[in-house]
Amino acid sequence: MFTIEHEFDATVITLVDEGDDPRDYLQEDITIQSFEECVVVEQLDDQTDIVQHVTFSHAQLRELAAALDLPEGVYRLRQVTRK
C-alpha cells in the first residue's frame, strides 16, 4: 500500500510494507519526499530508533529507475532531445 500527498513544497509518497503471512519480514514505512531540487528517502531504523535518510539528485533518481530493469554492467544515460 502507498499514499501520495501534495504539500506546499514537496510531493510526499509513503510506502507501507504489509503482509498477511506472519513469516513475512516486514520493514518500516519508507517516506519519499520529492522537492524541486532533490528527492529525500527516509526510513526509521527500528534497532536504533533513528530515522535514516538518503538524498538523491533528480538525475540520480532517473539513473536508479533505469538501473532496476538493466542487467549487470556499466551505463550512462543520454538525454534525448525532442524536436
Side-chain angles (χ1 to χ4, degrees):
M1 179 179 90
F2 62 92
T3 64
I4 302 171
E5 301 172 67
H6 298 291
E7 296 183 357
F8 173 72
D9 61 346
T11 297
V12 179
I13 300 168
T14 302
L15 307 175
V16 179
D17 199 9
E18 56 184 355
D20 297 326
D21 189 333
R23 294 172 293 178
D24 288 341
Y25 182 69
L26 301 180
Q27 299 294 317
E28 293 290 331
D29 294 355
I30 295 174
T31 303
I32 304 155
Q33 301 173 63
S34 181
F35 298 94
E36 185 176 335
E37 65 279 357
C38 65
V39 176
V40 179
V41 178
E42 296 180 335
Q43 185 178 40
L44 175 68
D45 182 333
D46 60 355
Q47 295 179 351
T48 63
D49 248 6
I50 297 173
V51 174
Q52 303 292 329
H53 68 274
V54 177
T55 302
F56 293 89
S57 69
H58 286 279
Q60 288 174 311
L61 195 60
R62 285 189 296 274
E63 289 179 349
L64 174 60
L68 293 175
D69 292 325
L70 292 170
E72 184 175 348
V74 178
Y75 300 89
R76 177 174 287 136
L77 293 181
R78 291 186 293 147
Q79 279 189 323
V80 177
T81 55
R82 298 180 185 174
K83 294 182 181 182

